[in-house]
Amino acid sequence: MTETWQAGAAGVLRLPSGLLVRGRGLRHPVPAGPEPGFAVYLLAKQPPEVPWEARWLRWPDFRLPHDAAEARAVLGEARVRAASERVEIACGGGRGRTGTALACLAVLDGVPADRAVAFVRRHYDRHAVETPWQKRYVRRFTA
């Protein structure tokens, strides 16, 4: 197994199960430390090439994913892969879309949907999940 993320490192969220997932903004430099083995990029346009495996979810800034079923499948894959790989979730700024996706991962990991936004704000970024419709998306997301 490869070196894992460090709990408490910049942008690393520990889910209730102990799984670690790094959230970040793509407008910021890549954090020091190990590279991800798998990433999910939440952008309106195709992301730049990276040397690790990545999935692109079409997700415009301040909005919701274009395809909810695809989002569920890709986030489910990210959660499964976090058990054995370094997984990164990222959008442009690392707060709205990334926070929403991390909150959905928290729901998949057992956090009640009505508490997932607060969980991510407490353990990842206090400004995560920026819009009312992103909050509603998380509240309606089911495991």
Side-chain angles (χ1 to χ4, degrees):
M1 187 167 139
T2 58
E3 179 185 356
T4 60
W5 302 120
Q6 296 278 333
V12 176
L13 173 68
R14 179 184 295 278
L15 295 167
S17 66
L19 296 176
L20 300 173
V21 179
R22 181 172 76 186
R24 77 175 181 101
L26 294 170
R27 289 192 296 265
H28 308 293
V30 176
E35 294 179 339
F38 178 71
V40 177
Y41 297 126
L42 317 165
L43 300 167
K45 297 186 287 186
Q46 188 165 354
E49 291 290 321
V50 291
W52 46 83
E53 187 178 353
R55 299 272 188 282
W56 169 39
L57 277 179
R58 287 187 60 208
W59 193 330
D61 201 8
F62 298 106
R63 303 216 188 264
L64 300 175
H66 277 275
D67 185 329
E70 180 185 18
R72 172 176 290 291
V74 171
L75 293 174
E77 178 183 2
R79 183 178 174 276
V80 168
R81 293 180 75 159
S84 60
E85 298 176 63
R86 292 180 306 274
V87 172
E88 172 176 88
I89 307 289
C91 66
R95 287 187 168 167
R97 293 167 286 179
T98 296
T100 302
L102 290 173
C104 291
L105 283 176
V107 172
L108 293 174
D109 205 60
V111 174
D114 63 342
R115 296 187 199 150
V117 170
F119 176 85
V120 170
R121 286 179 173 170
R122 186 170 47 256
H123 298 289
Y124 169 68
D125 185 313
R126 65 187 179 103
H127 299 291
V129 190
E130 296 173 312
T131 68
W133 40 91
Q134 289 172 340
K135 292 175 194 167
R136 186 172 51 246
Y137 182 81
V138 173
R139 280 195 313 270
R140 293 179 177 170
F141 196 85
T142 57

